[in-house]
Amino acid sequence: MANATTPQDHDASAVLAERIRQASADGTPLRIVGGDTRYFYGREVEGSELSTREHCGIAFYDPVELVVSVRAGTPLAELEAALAEHGQMLPFEPPRYGMVSTVGGMVATGLSGPRRPWAGSVRDFVLGTRVINHEGIEQRFGGEVMKNVAGYDLSRLMVGAQGGLGLITEVSFKVLPIPGATQSLHLELSLDEARLRLAEWGREPLPISAAAWLDGALHLRLEGGPSSVAATRARIGGDDLDNDFWNALRDQRLEFFTAGKEPLWRLSLPHRVPPLELPGIDERLMVHDWAGAQRWLRADLDADTVRQACQAAGGHATCYGPRPTAIEPFTPLPEVLMKYHRNLKAQLDPKGIFNPGRLYAAL
C-alpha cells in the first residue's frame, strides 16, 4: 500500500520552508507546534508559531516490508488506526496525551510507553527522516543513507531534540505485528514482593511486555503466542486486568496523574535500584513503571534533592509540571556535554531559530 504525494503536500512543505527561510533571514525565533499536547515537556519557547498540522498524511506504507512513512502533522491516532487495520503497531507504544497529538511531536519528544524496556524506544524504530534545515531546504536522512558534512545521523539526533535542530516534515518507521495474544494480570503484592518476583521472572524467557506497580498491586501484561501466554498466565496466577489499563498509564489518565497538584517528576533509574532516600516520601505511594526503571513521583520537593538522589543511584529526574519557574525540566548537563550540545546547535541552527531554549536556556 503506497500513498502518492499530492500537490497539497508539496504546497504545505513549501509554505513551511518559506517561513523558515524568512525567519532565518530576520533572525526570528520559531515555536514549532503540532497538536501542542506535549507543551508541559520542556521549557517555554518565545517565538512565532510554526504549525505542522497542515503537513499531514501517510506518504507510504508497505505492510509486507513493515515500513511506514508519515508526515509530521499527522495525528498519531490516525497512524495507529491505519497500522491496526493491517494487524500492526508502533512497538514503542508512544504516549498520546490527546486525539490531536502528532507524529512530529512524538518523535521530537522521544517519549515511549509501558512496552519500552521489552521492545525498544522511539529512536530504535526510526528508519529515516525528512527535515527542513535553517536555510529552508528539505533534506532526507537516515534510511535513505544521507548524512550532513559533520557525519551526524540526523534521523536519530532528531528524536528527543525537541525541534531544536530543524523542522521534521516526515518520518519513516519500522513497525511490527500486533501480538497474537494479550493477557493482563493484577497481582496483590507488596512493593518488595513485586521487586523480587520481577527479578526472578526477568531471568526467564517469559512473554512479559509491561510491568507496573501501584496501589499495592503489580500489574503485568503478557503478549506473544497464545500457548506461551496461557502457560505463563497459569503459572503466575493473579486476577484478570482490563487491557485498557495500559492505555491509561501510557497517556497519564490514571488518578495518580490527574488528581494531584504537586509537580510531577519522572525518575529514570537503572533496573532493581532500591527505594530512593527522599525526605518525607513513601515509594509505596508512587507509580513504578518499566519494572521499576521509571518511577513517577508527585511532591513539592527541592529539585536538587530529587536529582541528587537519582544521580546517586545512577539515574536522572525530569519535571513534567505543574512546574515552578525555578525548576528546570531537565537535569542540568555537565559543562563538557553542554559544549557538545552547543556545537551541534551552532552547526545545524546557526541563527538559533528552531525552538530556542526548549531543552536548555543555552540552546
Side-chain angles (χ1 to χ4, degrees):
M1 165 181 160
N3 293 21
T5 301
T6 67
Q8 289 80 5
D9 300 322
H10 286 300
D11 290 345
S13 180
V15 169
L16 293 171
E18 179 55 34
R19 282 286 309 279
I20 290 171
R21 280 192 291 270
Q22 191 62 52
S24 184
D26 299 339
T28 303
L30 295 172
R31 176 177 177 264
I32 302 171
V33 177
D36 209 21
T37 55
R38 294 169 172 80
Y39 63 90
F40 57 85
Y41 190 68
R43 305 175 77 254
E44 291 188 12
V45 174
E46 297 291 334
S48 177
E49 182 176 300
L50 180 65
S51 174
T52 63
R53 285 187 289 270
E54 298 301 316
H55 192 60
C56 58
I58 296 175
F60 174 82
Y61 180 26
D62 188 336
V64 175
E65 295 296 329
L66 301 174
V67 173
V68 64
S69 296
V70 60
R71 300 179 188 96
T74 307
L76 181 53
E78 179 181 316
L79 171 60
E80 290 190 311
L83 295 176
E85 288 181 5
H86 293 269
Q88 296 177 349
M89 65 178 184
L90 295 171
F92 46 88
E93 209 168 8
R96 291 158 295 201
Y97 304 121
M99 292 300 293
V100 296
S101 179
T102 64
V103 170
M106 173 190 75
V107 174
T109 54
L111 301 176
S112 302
R115 196 183 284 111
R116 190 258 183 263
W118 292 271
S121 67
V122 180
R123 182 177 285 108
D124 297 323
F125 290 88
V126 170
L127 299 176
T129 56
R130 291 192 183 206
V131 177
I132 299 179
N133 67 11
H134 68 281
E135 296 177 322
I137 300 172
E138 188 172 46
Q139 298 176 308
R140 302 177 182 180
F141 297 99
E144 302 197 44
V145 196
M146 177 176 176
K147 295 182 180 180
N148 75 341
V149 292
Y152 298 119
D153 181 349
L154 260 293
S155 294
R156 292 176 179 264
L157 282 175
M158 287 292 163
V159 180
Q162 296 276 43
L165 301 177
L167 179 67
I168 300 170
T169 58
E170 188 176 304
V171 188
S172 297
F173 298 99
K174 176 180 175 63
V175 299
L176 291 181
I178 294 173
T182 299
Q183 173 70 63
S184 293
L185 303 174
H186 176 278
L187 296 90
E188 294 288 339
L189 295 171
S190 70
L191 179 56
D192 289 339
E193 290 173 325
R195 289 168 53 82
L196 289 173
R197 295 279 189 94
L198 288 170
E200 173 189 336
W201 295 333
R203 293 190 287 267
E204 303 180 50
L206 300 181
I208 296 173
S209 68
W213 187 93
L214 67 153
D215 297 333
L218 177 62
H219 303 69
L220 278 182
R221 183 175 61 195
L222 310 176
E223 291 184 324
S227 60
S228 175
V229 168
T232 306
R233 192 258 183 272
R235 170 187 168 182
I236 289 177
D239 300 320
D240 290 344
L241 173 69
D242 189 332
N243 287 325
D244 191 58
F245 169 83
W246 304 106
N247 286 323
L249 176 59
R250 73 187 274 200
D251 294 337
Q252 296 186 355
R253 291 187 279 108
L254 296 175
E255 185 178 0
F256 173 87
F257 297 104
T258 61
K261 296 183 179 180
E262 302 87 355
L264 176 65
W265 290 90
R266 184 186 73 184
L267 314 182
S268 301
L269 300 163
H271 284 284
R272 303 175 191 170
V273 167
L276 302 179
E277 295 185 5
L278 291 169
I281 299 301
D282 185 344
E283 287 224 9
R284 291 173 297 181
L285 301 180
M286 295 167 55
V287 173
H288 296 245
D289 195 7
W290 295 2
Q294 177 172 257
R295 303 178 193 177
W296 296 97
L297 164 70
R298 274 207 179 275
D300 275 317
L301 288 178
D302 177 73
D304 288 341
T305 299
V306 176
R307 287 183 164 138
Q308 286 171 9
C310 288
Q311 288 171 345
H316 64 274
T318 302
C319 189
Y320 272 44
R323 186 175 62 251
T325 55
I327 296 181
E328 288 291 327
F330 304 111
T331 299
L333 295 176
E335 181 53 35
V336 172
L337 291 180
M338 181 57 76
K339 178 182 177 182
Y340 286 118
H341 279 261
R342 284 197 296 262
N343 290 344
L344 182 61
K345 176 76 169 176
Q347 288 200 40
L348 300 182
D349 183 21
K351 295 290 186 68
I353 62 170
F354 294 116
N355 274 1
R358 178 77 175 181
L359 274 172
Y360 295 99
L363 302 176

